[in-house]
Amino acid sequence: MSTLPPDERAILTGASASVALPADATVFEPNQACGAFLLVRQGRIRVYQLDRDGNEIVLYRLGPGSICILTTMALLAADRYSAFATTETAVEAVALTDTAFETLMARSGRFRSFVFTAHAERMADLMRVIRNVAFESIESRLAARLLALAADRRALSITHQQLAAEIGSAREVISRHLKTFERRGWVSLARGRIEVRDAASLRRTAGPGDA
């Protein structure tokens, strides 16, 4: 954004405002009108959908420098939101008015390039979720997500309900598969905590490119 010409930067700065949100705050929800283009500066936002039974599936997360694909789509189509977004941490962001967003999209090639590049990155995240839900088994998705969340750590502070939301399943299903993993010696379970004990076996179950 710093590469914008002075006249375009003036539109950006003149029509934007700083936004500070605490953790666990609602950013938007289905059928809510979209009135601003939000650029995250610090913190993390979870964008998710609920099925008819109330089960949550995480679509993607927004971190520093991220923009929301649903916000972009709502602004471009003058539509409303179709999912939920909640802050996972305290968030600092910049909100650009919808009018200024439309002006910059029409006038500025650099702004359009920034928006569509970020849009494509979020679309890739969303397509990955769709692919996993449609084509991968629960066991494979669970193993891959455990490895991704654990990263360099052995232990995760996460509930079965939260893990179910990560891969788009029901808590009961996740609990059943975790018990199977525990019997195999791959993980050990405690209340609100999962310890990875055999990452190699989880990696083989997750399959190539998933972990």
Side-chain angles (χ1 to χ4, degrees), residues 11-147:
I11 297 173
L12 180 67
T13 56
S16 61
S18 296
V19 176
L21 296 170
D24 299 319
T26 297
V27 181
F28 58 75
E29 55 190 16
N31 297 316
Q32 179 180 328
C34 178
F37 177 74
L38 201 67
L39 175 65
V40 179
R41 297 180 63 187
Q42 292 184 25
R44 189 172 64 251
I45 297 172
R46 182 177 79 259
V47 181
Y48 62 98
Q49 188 58 275
L50 298 176
D51 66 16
R52 286 180 292 183
D53 297 322
N55 296 316
E56 178 182 323
I57 179 170
V58 177
L59 302 178
Y60 52 85
R61 284 180 168 83
L62 304 175
S66 297
I67 66 171
C68 176
I69 186 174
L70 295 180
T71 297
T72 307
M73 291 170 63
L75 288 171
L76 291 174
D79 204 353
R80 293 175 179 266
Y81 284 111
S82 58
F84 298 85
T86 303
T87 57
E88 293 188 320
T89 66
V91 166
E92 293 182 11
V94 174
L96 179 67
T97 65
D98 52 355
T99 302
F101 173 82
E102 292 171 3
T103 299
L104 286 170
M105 287 295 287
R107 293 187 187 178
S108 175
R110 290 180 180 177
F111 184 79
R112 283 196 304 273
S113 177
F114 166 77
V115 169
F116 287 131
T117 297
H119 187 90
E121 292 172 355
R122 294 285 75 75
M123 180 63 80
D125 292 339
L126 190 55
M127 292 303 295
R128 192 176 302 113
V129 171
I130 294 171
R131 183 201 68 191
N132 288 341
V133 171
F135 302 115
E136 301 294 338
S137 68
I138 291 288
E139 190 169 86
S140 172
R141 286 153 53 196
L142 178 57
R145 199 64 193 140
L146 285 171
L147 290 169

